[in-house]
Amino acid sequence: MPHLTAAARAGVAAALFFIGLHAAAQPRTPMTDRLIVRLADWADADRVQPMHADRARGLSIAARSRLEPYRRMSGGAQVVRLTHDMPVAEVEAMAARLMRDPAVAHAEPDRRKFPLRAATDPLYANQWNLFEPAGGINAPAAWDITIGSPAVVVAVLDTGVRPDNADLAGRLAAGYDFVREDAPGLALTANDGDGRDADAADPGDWVSAAEAGQPPFGGCPQAASSSWHGTHTAGIIAASANNAYGIAGIAWAVRVLPARVLGKCGGYTSDIIDAIRWSAGLAVPGVPANASPAQVLNLSLGAPGACSVEEQRALDDALAIGRVKAIVTAAGNEAGDSAQTTPANCRGVLTVTATDRSGSRAPYASFGANVALAAPGGWFAADATSGASGILSLFNTGRTTPAADTFAFAAGTSEAAAHVSGVVALMLSANPGLAAADVRRILQTTARAFPNATCSRSLCGAGIVDAAAAVAAAAPPPAPAAPVQSDPAPMPVSMTAPAATPGAVDSGGGGCTIARDGAPEAALPLLALWAFASILARRWRERRTRRA
């Protein structure tokens, strides 16, 4: 797989500088200092000018906060200003009070909107899979809701990861290497000099020409360079963003739990079964307890055949404890029926097929009734002059053993599955209370329709995963605003001063006192009444003093 040169990375970084300056983050608590108000026809005296001050004073009483006329909008509605920024939820309650006034046809907060959160990483512009409308997953709008939570852990059952990659710094939970020795003292498949241990780093999975087709590599008849597959997959899910380096992952702040199950020429189902249970927090003989059980398991791996009894049992056990909310699997790259690939054909998993940059089914991607939905997997056409239509993620320059970190384009249903795992991680960050059934339902009901006949619901699942729609649907509804109290009957203006409260300090208050969320505010002082009331109150106190 090609990797980007230093010159290319520098060029992309320069091009993204402007985007970085203008990418704004939406505040956690939406605020506004304005309301949009549409007056009833009979109450809107001047169809051109802003609202009359007298009308604004009347609405202020209904709203229980001072409203100042600001401007008339196109279409005839009015903008009025509050005295200060307030949470939108409070302004919504104010709008509800206004709409009980017969003079108001409609009222709503004048909400602020912001540029969608965009990653500023130097290579982000190459990540079409995150933001392009045709084939992307609409990640920037999801990031306005959440970028992920460290409380969410995604287990990547794969070749291991390169733990020194800068885009994974601080993001890795303590993983485990499940690849056993081929025989006592013989670790050819493991390729790291030993068997199971707590080091889940990827040592490389190359197969040399001399090894190809020879035991224990009989299933790999051709020589191959190291794939760095687990590092590539982990980067798609959770590479750090806005760190002036590399790429952006889908869930920037979640943690990755590396479970190394694939060595040279793949890995055994028995090791994968143990890793499934361990990743979910279940006990595995001879393996220390998992300190960071995962809520999402990503299995970007597979082989032809039926789902085995023991494999299904492990998946069922992982889902039964309730902590695991999704086990995401790749549909397969055989361009055939995914029901012939395991674990994609197991019960309870979310099987993902791949689409290309146009949103069409990638020519290699397997399909079928067991597929839950699709996601970007990329595609390298035979006449392609670059890898830009693949999925860009973390890589390593070493053709055999690890060397320098770099980035590479790849294509496959492995990459597609990683996209769904990243989106599920965002969903659980927004709402940890989701159940596995909720996750499946939301992913499928919010998926984007396929743009053409290369995919259909019977072949490629419910649609292309839409991160923003899925996260928005997963997020719990906002807490209801405090019940709107019935407005008291308006007190008639009286020229008689109210009785003074013994011991109270005369603050000179008077006129219209308006409550804002229970706190009184002198919003519309009637200065003449203040003066007259003050005189009467002073005389009343003088007479009371003389009587005493």
Side-chain angles (χ1 to χ4, degrees):
M1 286 181 285
H3 63 271
L4 298 183
T5 65
R9 292 198 298 270
V12 174
L16 278 177
F17 181 68
F18 181 80
I19 296 176
L21 290 178
H22 290 79
Q26 187 171 357
R28 289 182 180 272
T29 303
M31 307 284 286
T32 185
D33 62 348
R34 300 179 186 182
L35 273 159
I36 297 174
V37 178
R38 180 176 295 278
L39 296 174
D41 288 343
W42 62 266
D44 199 1
D46 192 327
R47 304 290 177 173
V48 178
Q49 298 300 320
M51 184 184 299
H52 194 274
D54 287 344
R55 177 63 63 191
R57 280 194 289 269
L59 295 182
S60 296
I61 296 173
R64 303 179 193 164
S65 186
R66 181 188 300 170
L67 304 179
E68 297 178 353
Y70 181 54
R71 68 179 182 89
R72 181 178 286 272
M73 299 169 55
S74 61
Q78 302 270 0
V79 179
V80 294
R81 287 193 293 198
L82 311 175
T83 57
H84 61 282
D85 260 348
M86 298 174 63
V88 166
E90 296 181 16
V91 181
E92 287 175 337
M94 190 181 299
R97 293 194 290 268
L98 281 172
M99 283 191 285
R100 293 208 302 271
D101 188 321
V104 177
H106 179 70
E108 63 185 45
D110 191 0
R111 297 172 180 266
R112 291 185 176 97
K113 291 185 170 60
F114 301 86
L116 295 180
R117 188 192 295 265
T120 60
D121 302 77
L123 300 181
Y124 176 67
N126 298 68
Q127 295 183 269
W128 60 266
N129 47 301
L130 299 185
F131 57 80
E132 284 191 355
I137 65 169
N138 197 16
W143 295 334
D144 278 347
I145 302 172
T146 180
I147 60 171
S149 164
V152 174
V153 178
V154 181
V156 175
L157 285 70
D158 216 297
T159 63
V161 300
R162 291 308 309 157
D164 50 356
N165 190 293
D167 255 348
L168 295 177
R171 312 298 306 287
L172 298 179
Y176 202 80
D177 178 4
F178 285 88
V179 182
R180 288 186 177 274
E181 294 175 307
D182 302 294
L186 187 64
L188 298 179
T189 302
N191 200 33
D192 59 355
D194 55 25
R196 290 186 170 185
D197 58 25
D199 182 5
D202 187 349
D205 60 351
W206 81 95
V207 176
S208 69
E211 294 170 328
Q214 302 301 312
F217 310 122
C220 298
Q222 296 180 341
S225 299
S226 289
S227 67
W228 311 115
H229 191 272
T231 301
H232 199 271
T233 301
I236 294 169
I237 296 170
S240 297
N242 295 345
N243 60 344
Y245 178 80
I247 64 163
I250 294 170
W252 306 354
V254 304
R255 292 184 295 154
V256 169
L257 177 71
R260 184 170 182 251
V261 297
L262 305 178
K264 295 179 68 163
C265 200
Y268 288 95
T269 299
S270 57
D271 290 338
I272 295 169
I273 286 173
D274 282 352
I276 289 170
R277 287 197 171 91
W278 182 85
S279 297
L282 297 172
V284 175
V287 178
N290 180 1
S292 303
Q295 295 94 330
V296 184
L297 276 57
N298 187 86
L299 281 72
S300 289
L301 47 79
C307 180
S308 73
V309 171
E310 292 302 327
E311 193 173 12
Q312 186 65 64
R313 190 187 302 273
L315 295 167
D316 292 344
D317 288 348
L319 290 167
I321 59 176
R323 180 188 296 111
V324 174
K325 308 304 176 64
I327 300 175
V328 184
T329 63
N333 298 335
E334 290 75 37
D337 188 351
S338 179
Q340 305 304 315
T341 299
T342 180
N345 53 13
C346 294
R347 297 188 308 274
V349 300
L350 283 164
T351 298
V352 184
T353 193
T355 49
D356 64 15
R357 196 164 183 172
S358 70
S360 303
R361 183 177 65 84
Y364 57 79
S366 295
F367 49 85
N370 62 307
V371 174
L373 73 167
W379 163 239
F380 301 136
D383 58 351
T385 57
S386 77
S389 291
I391 307 300
L392 183 64
S393 188
L394 311 183
F395 204 63
N396 194 279
T397 60
R399 298 184 65 84
T400 56
T401 57
D405 294 332
T406 188
F407 310 89
F409 291 98
T413 56
S414 286
E415 282 68 25
H419 281 78
V420 172
S421 290
V423 172
V424 174
L426 290 179
M427 294 166 62
L428 295 174
S429 298
N431 186 353
L434 295 174
D438 299 325
V439 169
R440 181 183 291 271
R441 172 182 54 79
I442 291 170
L443 285 171
Q444 293 186 311
T445 57
T446 60
R448 194 170 73 250
F450 296 113
N452 55 52
T454 62
C455 260
S456 64
R457 293 184 68 90
S458 61
L459 294 177
C460 304
I464 301 172
V465 66
D466 187 318
V471 174
V484 178
Q485 300 294 328
S486 300
D487 290 332
M491 181 180 294
V493 176
S494 172
M495 299 306 290
T496 303
T501 302
V505 176
D506 182 8
S507 64
C512 287
T513 299
I514 299 174
R516 179 199 289 118
D517 302 321
E521 176 192 335
L524 299 173
L526 303 178
L527 298 181
L529 180 58
W530 282 4
F532 184 71
S534 297
I535 293 170
L536 292 179
R538 186 171 61 252
R539 290 178 178 174
W540 180 85
R541 286 195 297 271
E542 289 173 352
R543 287 198 300 271
R544 186 178 178 191
T545 301
R546 284 197 296 271
R547 290 173 183 170

